[in-house]
């Protein structure tokens, strides 16, 4: 798998270039997230970039910034987002680019295993970079869906696949459920055709299919019925209904098309 820090920078630049060329009407276009326009999606990404920057550079400021989110996730995020949504588009783009660049620089200065704070608990720097990459993937998908723009995926999504397999139990915790004791086996086909496998080969609970579909599932950007993922075992099948790779309420997810 390629370097997660380099891949994060490339993904951020590609999405930044896409939205920089949008018309005012496109900035106001609705996206699949309820009541969110393209502008809301970019505002969210700018705020996440700020959180990553603070996490890798100023633990005290990060703790103060995220206190409202830890107290009430949704209201804290909504309040923080409002400041960014209110920015004129040029200012929002500039702010996102600056926060993104500072976050990328701060991450790259750390060792991959250095722990940094995050609302879910301390994470290795490389895992936080994968979290940031998953945010770009998910909200970039919302933007492209809202605008009707196709996307061409590369093996950079491997970091999101890795994150999705490592965070299997988040889906259960978000719903107050007990996670299965038995690990799952994941066998997922990369855009390049390479097979990515995670988990013990002998596991009875198994999930297989395209890596792209797996990323859409764990970021809750597509319903499982619209994806070519298969499950062996009751628990693996149930997990496909609730999978999520991020901290916070699961929301309603996407309806089947």
């Amino acid at each position: 798998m390629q370097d997660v820090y380099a891949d994060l920078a490339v993904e951020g630049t590609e999405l930044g270039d896409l939205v920089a060329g949008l018309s005012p009407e496109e900035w106001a276009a609705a996206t699949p997230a309820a009541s969110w326009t393209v502008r809301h999606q970019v505002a969210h990404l700018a705020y996440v970039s700020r959180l990553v920057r603070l996490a890798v550079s100023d633990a005290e400021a990060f703790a103060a910034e995220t206190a409202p989110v830890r107290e009430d996730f949704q209201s804290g995020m909504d309040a923080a987002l409002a400041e960014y949504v209110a920015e004129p588009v040029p200012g929002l783009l500039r702010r996102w680019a600056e926060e993104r660049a500072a976050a990328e620089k701060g991450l790259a200065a750390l060792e991959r295993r250095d722990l940094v704070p995050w609302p879910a608990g301390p994470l290795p720097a490389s895992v936080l970079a994968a979290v940031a990459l998953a945010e770009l993937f998910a909200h970039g998908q919302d933007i492209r869906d809202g605008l009707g723009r196709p996307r061409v995926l590369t093996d950079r999504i491997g970091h999101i696949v890795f994150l999705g397999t490592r965070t299997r139990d988040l889906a259960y915790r978000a719903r107050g459920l007990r996670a299965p004791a038995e690990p799952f086996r994941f066998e997922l086909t990369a855009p390049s055709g390479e097979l990515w496998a995670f988990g013990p080969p002998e596991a009875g609970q198994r999930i297989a299919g395209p890596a792209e579909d797996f990323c859409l599932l764990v970021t809750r950007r597509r319903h499982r019925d619209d994806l070519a993922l298969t499950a062996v075992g009751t628990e693996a099948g149930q997990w496909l209904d609730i999978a999520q790779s991020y901290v916070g309420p699961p929301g309603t997810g996407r309806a089947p098309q």
Side-chain angles (χ1 to χ4, degrees), residues 102-122:
E104 292 164 1
K105 182 178 179 180
L107 281 167
L110 298 174
E111 296 295 331
R112 296 176 63 86
R113 295 185 179 181
D114 286 348
L115 292 179
V116 293
W118 200 243

Side-chain angles (χ1 to χ4, degrees), residues 22-100:
L22 298 181
S23 67
E25 293 76 20
E26 289 172 319
W27 274 93
T31 68
S35 77
W36 273 27
T37 64
V38 170
R39 188 192 195 101
H40 288 85
Q41 300 285 351
V42 175
H44 177 83
L45 288 171
Y47 180 61
V48 170
S49 294
R50 171 178 169 80
L51 292 185
V52 174
R53 174 179 66 80
L54 292 176
V56 299
S57 65
D58 191 334
E60 289 187 6
F62 176 84
E65 180 75 26
T66 56
V69 175
R70 294 195 304 274
E71 182 176 339
D72 186 317
F73 184 88
Q74 197 58 59
S75 65
M77 289 296 291
D78 290 345
L81 185 65
E83 174 188 342
Y84 286 81
V85 173
E87 285 264 18
V89 167
L92 176 58
L93 281 171
R94 182 171 59 253
R95 192 170 183 179
W96 181 33
E98 291 172 352
E99 294 284 12
R100 194 171 71 239

Side-chain angles (χ1 to χ4, degrees), residues 59-182:
E60 289 187 6
F62 176 84
E65 180 75 26
T66 56
V69 175
R70 294 195 304 274
E71 182 176 339
D72 186 317
F73 184 88
Q74 197 58 59
S75 65
M77 289 296 291
D78 290 345
L81 185 65
E83 174 188 342
Y84 286 81
V85 173
E87 285 264 18
V89 167
L92 176 58
L93 281 171
R94 182 171 59 253
R95 192 170 183 179
W96 181 33
E98 291 172 352
E99 294 284 12
R100 194 171 71 239
E104 292 164 1
K105 182 178 179 180
L107 281 167
L110 298 174
E111 296 295 331
R112 296 176 63 86
R113 295 185 179 181
D114 286 348
L115 292 179
V116 293
W118 200 243
L123 296 175
S126 61
V127 175
L128 180 54
V131 169
L133 190 58
E135 289 284 329
L136 285 170
F137 174 89
H139 295 281
Q141 186 66 53
D142 288 341
I143 290 169
R144 290 179 173 92
D145 285 344
L147 299 173
R149 302 283 185 94
R151 78 187 305 168
V152 178
L153 293 174
T154 71
D155 282 9
R156 291 194 295 268
I157 65 171
H159 307 293
I160 305 168
V161 171
F162 169 76
L163 182 69
T165 63
R166 290 290 298 273
T167 56
R168 183 201 69 168
D169 293 356
L170 282 180
Y172 299 100
R173 292 201 290 271
R175 294 163 176 79
L177 303 173
R178 177 177 296 180
E182 180 184 354

Side-chain angles (χ1 to χ4, degrees), residues 9-22 27 93 96-97 100 144 149:
V10 172
E11 287 289 330
T13 297
E14 286 186 359
L15 186 57
D17 289 346
L18 170 63
V19 298
L22 298 181
W27 274 93
L93 281 171
W96 181 33
R100 194 171 71 239
R144 290 179 173 92
R149 302 283 185 94

Side-chain angles (χ1 to χ4, degrees), residues 179-202:
E182 180 184 354
F184 289 2
R185 172 71 170 180
F186 299 90
E187 296 182 350
L188 303 160
T189 304
S192 66
E194 182 180 353
L195 179 66
W196 291 331
F198 302 88
E202 71 279 4

